């Protein structure tokens, strides 16, 4: 089926989806959950074939790590669906109620965006998370995963379609498979309401430059942790190691560590030892190398998202220098300060221009599931509509309902009806 036809079917399905009750949408999610369990072995077998081919083709380590879909990944996916089912309905929520004039009431009510196209990397679990988030929020979805996960994605999509059969309109979700499909999708501005690309800044920019459809960019994650002079050293070591090593090939892993000069001599040796014990290669500026043994860092290191066991470290003279470095080199994803000084915490929270700004905790918390959103379609580093992990709320917009009793604008002009603008 051509992409144009798939987009048109999704548009038609979106109207039906928007009118389904939350119970009907949850029943479909339960059906998908059961089908994924029933077809688990086939999904695992298809994933093994994808992984074997990826290894033979020397796929980059971060992508290869994301590609694996085993029992652990399936459990995470199923838990995510259960979490989604338990969440309240994001649709039909009244966020404003106002009397404009006697008998004339205005309501702002949440509703689905419509049809969402999502382009994502090699993670097959993202296919299920995104499709289910779109379903719960009443949106139809066109989904394009990486070529390296094609067999796994086909198996997952087949299971989801089976689980939702008879419960959802035909065309509620579709899998796109080729680069040509992506380019064709970008031209369907009469059927698709939003494009969400997950990838590098260059990739997101390419999508923006080649479509008239609104784009919610999920760009790279060049995350920082800044260790302030007031930080507790033991806590700072613990959080730093987690931010870098808890998972390497993810967008919320720390890539650059900034350390205040007044704490560097006490903090860096135990931190470096803990990082090296986890297999991390450290690249440091000149002042860092005077304290610990590490590889020289270059200017390019400050602008690199490694997605690997590599960390760059820079010693800074002040919190202002740390903030300026983050705002210059970072991707506005997630950045953290480790500090006991509350004034420093406040300065960092207001000064860093990122979607997530943390105090005394790991950047790895930047995740829709950990935020209680059920899951996420991505982490938006933009500032319009949705920012940070994009869950159910980020996949909704709103419409205005105006309920009257024969009022006309002429009545307000002549004074027969007077505006009250009273919140209800």
């Amino acid at each position: 089926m051509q992409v144009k036809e798939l987009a048109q079917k999704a548009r038609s399905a979106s109207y039906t989806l928007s009118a389904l009750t939350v119970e009907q949408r949850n029943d479909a999610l339960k059906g998908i959950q059961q089908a994924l369990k029933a077809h688990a072995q086939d999904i695992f077998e298809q994933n093994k074939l994808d992984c074997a081919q990826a290894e033979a083709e020397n796929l980059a380590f971060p992508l290869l790590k994301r590609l694996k879909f085993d029992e652990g990944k399936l459990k995470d996916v199923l838990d995510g669906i259960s979490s989604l089912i338990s969440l309240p309905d994001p649709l039909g929520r009244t966020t404003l109620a106002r009397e404009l004039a006697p008998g004339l009431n205005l309501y702002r009510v949440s509703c689905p965006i419509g049809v969402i196209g999502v382009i994502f990397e090699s993670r097959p679990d993202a296919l299920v998370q995104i499709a289910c988030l779109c379903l719960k929020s009443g949106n139809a979805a066109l989904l394009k995963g990486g070529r390296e996960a094609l067999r796994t994605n086909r198996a997952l999509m087949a299971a989801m379609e089976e689980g939702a059969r008879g419960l959802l309109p035909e065309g509620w979700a579709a899998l796109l498979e080729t680069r040509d499909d992506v380019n064709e999708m970008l031209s369907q501005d009469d059927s698709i309401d939003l494009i969400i690309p997950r990838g590098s800044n260059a990739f997101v920019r390419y999508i923006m430059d080649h479509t008239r459809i609104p784009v919610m960019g999920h760009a790279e994650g060049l995350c920082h942790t800044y260790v302030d002079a007031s930080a507790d050293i033991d806590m700072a070591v613990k959080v730093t190691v987690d931010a870098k090593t808890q998972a390497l090939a993810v967008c919320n892993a720390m890539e650059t560590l900034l350390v205040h000069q007044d704490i560097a001599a006490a903090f860096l040796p135990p931190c470096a030892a803990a990082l090296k014990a986890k297999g991390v290669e450290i690249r440091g500026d000149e002042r860092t190398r005077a304290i610990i043994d590490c590889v020289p860092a270059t200017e390019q290191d400050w602008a690199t998202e490694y997605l690997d066991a590599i960390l760059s470290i820079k010693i800074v003279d002040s919190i202002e220098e740390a903030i300026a470095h983050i705002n210059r080199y970072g991707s506005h994803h997630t950045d953290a300060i480790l500090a006991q000084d509350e004034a420093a915490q406040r300065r960092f929270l207001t000064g860093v221009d990122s979607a997530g700004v943390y105090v005394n905790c790991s950047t790895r918390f930047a995740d829709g599931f950990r935020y209680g959103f059920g899951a996420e379609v991505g982490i938006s580093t933009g500032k319009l509509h949705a920012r940070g992990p994009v869950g159910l709320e980020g996949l909704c917009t709103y419409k205005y309902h105006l309920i009257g009793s024969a009022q006309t604008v002429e009545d307000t002009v002549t004074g027969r009806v007077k505006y009250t603008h009273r919140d209800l």
Side-chain angles (χ1 to χ4, degrees), residues 12-23:
S12 178
S14 72
Y15 298 136
T16 302
L17 279 171
S18 68
L20 294 180
T21 65
V22 68
E23 289 78 16

Side-chain angles (χ1 to χ4, degrees), residues 222-227 240 244 253-259 267-268 271 275 280-285 288-289 292 294-316 325 329:
L222 209 171
C223 302
H224 300 75
T225 298
Y226 163 60
V227 181
T240 296
K244 181 64 223 178
M254 173 184 61
E255 305 290 20
T256 297
L257 177 66
L258 303 173
V259 183
F267 166 74
L268 282 175
C271 186
L275 288 167
V280 176
E281 174 190 309
I282 297 175
R283 301 177 182 180
D285 67 349
T288 297
R289 298 198 309 278
I292 60 173
C294 60
V295 176
T298 67
E299 178 73 13
Q300 185 59 40
D301 284 306
W302 311 134
T304 299
E305 181 187 23
Y306 301 113
L307 297 172
D308 204 347
I310 304 171
L311 176 68
S312 57
I313 300 180
K314 181 178 182 181
I315 294 176
V316 295
H325 181 101
Y329 293 101

Side-chain angles (χ1 to χ4, degrees), residues 5 17 31 47 52 61 67 79 99 112 128 140 143 150 159 178 180 194 227 240 245 263 345 352 394-395 401 410 418:
E5 185 178 353
L17 279 171
N47 183 250
F61 168 76
L67 178 59
D79 288 346
E99 178 191 82
V128 182
L143 307 164
L150 182 57
T178 69
D180 288 342
L194 179 68
V227 181
T240 296
T245 69
I263 201 173
Q345 295 173 6
V352 171
L395 295 178
H401 294 172
E410 183 64 22
K418 295 187 180 298

